[in-house]
Amino acid sequence: MQRDGVGYRRLPLFWFVLTVVTFSSLAVIGQRLDLKRKPDVSNGKRVYNSGCNTCHGETGKGAPQTSTVFNRPNTFPDFTVCSQTTPEADMQWKGVVVHGGPYKGFSTIMPTFGQLLSENDIDDVIAYMRTFCDARGWPRGELNLPRALVTEKAFPENELVISTSANATGAPSWETHAIHEQAFGKRDQLEVDVPWVLQDVNHSLESHTGDMTIGLKHVMFSSLKTGSILSLQGGVLPPTGSTKLGGAGTTVFEPFAAFDQLWRTNTWVQFQMGADLPVDTKKSPQSMFWYTALGQTIAQDKRLGRQWSPMVEFLANRDLVDGAKTDWDVLPEMQVTLSPRQHIRADIGVRTPFTNTAGRNPQVQFYILWDWADGKFWEGW
């Protein structure tokens, strides 16, 4: 039965409402991330003051250099600086405490405590060290889920990502994005995305820079207890690209919401939904997108070591015009941490259309990611 244009416009709204209700329910009923044993902060303080404060100081800012016998490396932590400590997950800290600084590519002055302290003592001292950041409202690093190839995560990051997609079949085509993300304040992030496109046009390779994106993300809600985080982002795409090679030819506004849910089993789901709203709809139609990434992180050495994150993305795009159909793609992929510090990661997958496949080719997609807040690219190996 032929549906009218109003009906087509209501379909994305239906998906939006359904998804928000679904994921809001998951956040409510989701398995809490609380540990089976609640850390004893008072015991953690005792453990800290019996040894850790010799180097890290009573307040976590570091002992006076006149009282220490080592040269302080540039990675020496100040546990009172929330912007440095909250993005790190407890398991990152635990790896350093158990195996020493070199385990995560840090200095050898940090000794191993895995044979000296019980697991409960280590959990307790980490819980105590968390109290040195006394400001509330910072999203915790446990909610910084593995980045998918397409679906944007909700956590604000300090990353440089080089992402490439290439046609696996058909005419040669490559699209590379240089993405810079910088967190600021407790809950905000600035993002700049500069694409470069190389396409086969009538058996001749042509290239252009594409339409760049400038975006501002704000975390609306985050909870370590429920494992949930919700962000909103507003982006603008000035028409910097060639319309001949896919540029919109008009300024486009791109608002979206991103919601991530983590469970205690290290299983997680990420959801992103938004729209592309061009100023001149005669040059480029309005469209909507809704993406989902479902995955599981598996880490070696009792979750302290290298992380492997197999995941699958389900990607939908639809122009908001009469008669338009929804393009659905599936994208299985694998992300892995490359450096022991886990600040260098790579992801590879194959994106395959499974509806409206005419003119849409399977693509190999890949990225390499550098979390530059955790150190220089060549450090931490």
Side-chain angles (χ1 to χ4, degrees):
M1 181 176 68
Q2 185 69 33
R3 299 181 61 181
D4 61 27
V6 175
Y8 279 116
R9 286 183 171 84
R10 286 176 177 169
L11 187 57
L13 178 61
F14 165 77
W15 281 106
F16 176 80
V17 173
L18 177 63
T19 304
V20 168
V21 171
T22 301
F23 283 93
S24 298
S25 300
L26 287 174
V28 173
I29 66 175
Q31 187 174 6
R32 293 169 67 88
L33 294 184
D34 293 342
L35 300 174
K36 295 180 179 178
R37 171 186 170 275
K38 185 178 181 179
D40 184 345
V41 177
S42 60
N43 181 53
K45 181 178 181 179
R46 181 191 63 78
V47 173
Y48 183 88
N49 289 331
S50 65
C52 307
N53 64 355
T54 303
C55 297
H56 293 290
E58 292 186 5
T59 64
K61 296 176 68 68
Q65 296 198 47
T66 54
S67 66
T68 56
V69 294
F70 57 85
N71 293 322
R72 188 173 295 183
N74 59 6
T75 55
F76 195 84
D78 181 342
F79 294 112
T80 66
V81 180
C82 302
S83 61
Q84 296 178 9
T85 58
T86 52
E88 302 297 330
D90 280 356
M91 298 307 284
Q92 284 286 91
W93 289 16
K94 193 170 184 176
V96 174
V97 175
V98 172
H99 296 297
Y103 185 72
K104 293 293 184 183
F106 293 111
S107 171
T108 56
I109 65 172
M110 175 64 190
T112 64
F113 287 93
Q115 300 298 319
L116 298 176
L117 299 175
S118 68
E119 188 157 340
N120 287 344
D121 283 340
I122 293 174
D123 291 336
D124 293 344
V125 77
I126 290 174
Y128 176 66
M129 291 160 65
R130 289 291 186 189
T131 66
F132 291 138
C133 165
D134 56 5
R136 298 293 179 262
W138 293 83
R140 280 284 298 272
E142 281 80 357
L143 303 178
N144 186 7
L145 303 181
R147 183 189 188 99
L149 283 164
V150 177
T151 307
E152 288 244 14
K153 60 185 178 183
F155 195 87
E157 262 289 10
N158 292 304
E159 294 179 345
L160 176 64
V161 184
I162 304 298
S163 176
T164 293
S165 60
N167 280 351
T169 61
S173 176
W174 295 267
E175 182 167 340
T176 299
H177 291 252
I179 305 168
H180 176 83
E181 298 174 340
Q182 181 156 356
F184 62 96
K186 291 182 180 180
R187 295 170 171 263
D188 297 298
Q189 172 197 285
L190 178 67
E191 175 180 322
V192 178
D193 179 350
V194 180
W196 179 75
V197 181
L198 179 65
Q199 289 182 348
D200 179 285
V201 179
N202 297 325
H203 306 293
S204 176
L205 290 178
E206 298 189 17
S207 66
H208 74 141
T209 56
D211 293 339
M212 65 181 297
T213 303
I214 302 171
L216 182 64
K217 178 187 292 182
H218 181 75
V219 176
M220 305 299 294
F221 167 81
S222 69
S223 171
L224 184 60
K225 290 185 177 180
T226 63
S228 311
I229 181 170
L230 170 68
S231 294
L232 298 179
Q233 176 164 322
V236 58
L237 290 73
T240 54
S242 165
T243 55
K244 179 181 177 182
L245 298 179
T250 181
T251 299
V252 177
F253 295 96
E254 186 181 71
F256 69 77
F259 175 81
D260 301 348
Q261 177 66 43
L262 171 68
W263 287 274
R264 188 187 295 170
T265 56
N266 257 359
T267 306
W268 42 261
V269 64
Q270 304 179 47
F271 177 77
Q272 178 193 7
M273 184 170 192
D276 287 324
L277 307 174
V279 173
D280 188 345
T281 56
K282 294 181 179 178
K283 294 182 177 178
S284 181
Q286 295 181 345
S287 62
M288 291 195 69
F289 56 89
W290 50 102
Y291 305 150
T292 301
L294 176 65
Q296 169 77 40
T297 296
I298 304 166
Q300 301 168 334
D301 191 15
K302 299 180 179 178
R303 296 190 180 184
L304 302 180
R306 185 185 304 278
Q307 296 180 354
W308 300 82
S309 298
M311 64 185 101
V312 59
E313 294 186 71
F314 301 95
L315 310 168
N317 293 274
R318 180 189 180 95
D319 289 342
L320 296 181
V321 297
D322 293 345
K325 297 180 180 179
T326 302
D327 295 335
W328 279 97
D329 297 350
V330 61
L331 175 51
E333 62 201 84
M334 173 71 79
Q335 191 216 59
V336 60
T337 56
L338 300 180
S339 62
R341 194 175 294 178
Q342 300 184 345
H343 70 315
I344 309 295
R345 301 174 180 234
D347 192 349
I348 188 169
V350 178
R351 179 172 179 167
T352 304
F354 66 90
T355 65
N356 306 319
T357 58
R360 301 197 304 122
N361 299 311
Q363 293 183 321
V364 177
Q365 298 198 353
F366 168 84
Y367 74 62
I368 188 164
L369 175 159
W370 169 30
D371 187 342
W372 47 267
D374 278 346
K376 298 176 181 177
F377 187 90
W378 54 88
E379 294 178 341
W381 294 84

